[in-house]
Amino acid sequence: MKGLDSTQVDQLKEIAEYLYQQRQHQEISLEKIAKQTYIPQRILQALESAQLDILPEPVYIKGFIRRYADALGLDGVMISDAFDVEPASLAHTAPEMQPEPAVSASRPAPSRIEPQTEPQIERQSDRPSRPERSSKPGLSFLPWLGAGIAALTLGAIAFSLLNQPPKTAVVNPTTTDAPTTKSSGSSSAPSSIVAPSAGSPVQVDLNLTERSWLEVSVDGKVAYEGSLDKGEQRTWKAKKSISIVAGNAGAVVASFNQGEAKALGKAGDVVTVAFPTPEKLPSN
């Protein structure tokens, strides 16, 4: 992982040492934390030892810290807030943008407002001419009345015609009952979850709606680890199972065996999803 400055590295090391001491004090194994947080154990080990070459980008490290601290019964939000996602150099450049709009924007405003009062007086002098114009077209108002009456009659005819289709529309819901749509929806959901028969391949298609860190394991072996950007698509195939760890679950849309595509979770959540689910894996 790249992009951490010295301040971020010091913050990460201090937080990692604190989490490690708390875990040792509570006598909790790292394996238990991994199962509870759905974070791979090797990522947790890298977090405790601040191994920057293994850890993902800072925004995902912040999420790992929060979930790790919550698993220990600590305030995950407060502890994760102690780690800056952006380098300190970027944070200092933001205040420099503030004084620019306040240099002299308010001074020329009053000088420009003063001449505006003069044209307002001239326009008020033009107002007497308006009633003279309104009195002249009084004779030519009759054609507009005729056009309005014609428009009303056409509107009444169109309105009467529009009242007829609802009768046919009412018939359609009776023929296509609501339970049929529910049954079709319920039948499609299990189709994407049901485990394949023994020996059949497993395929998972991923589509990224936002950037997310991923770790994909195929038949128990890590096949990919890294970050994918918005719009990227990937496909993995396996003989038995595929496991996916997502650092931003809401941005990862997965389709199992070309079934219905669904997001792996909520935005910002770290989740681990197995395809097929362990409960429905074919027994040997």
Side-chain angles (χ1 to χ4, degrees), residues 92-130:
H92 289 298
T93 56
E96 296 178 359
M97 301 297 292
Q98 296 179 357
E100 294 180 358
V103 175
S104 59
S106 59
R107 294 182 180 178
S111 60
R112 295 179 181 177
I113 296 175
E114 292 176 358
Q116 291 179 356
T117 57
E118 296 178 358
Q120 290 178 357
I121 298 173
E122 295 177 358
R123 292 177 181 177
Q124 290 177 357
S125 60
D126 296 334
R127 292 180 181 177
S129 60
R130 293 181 181 177

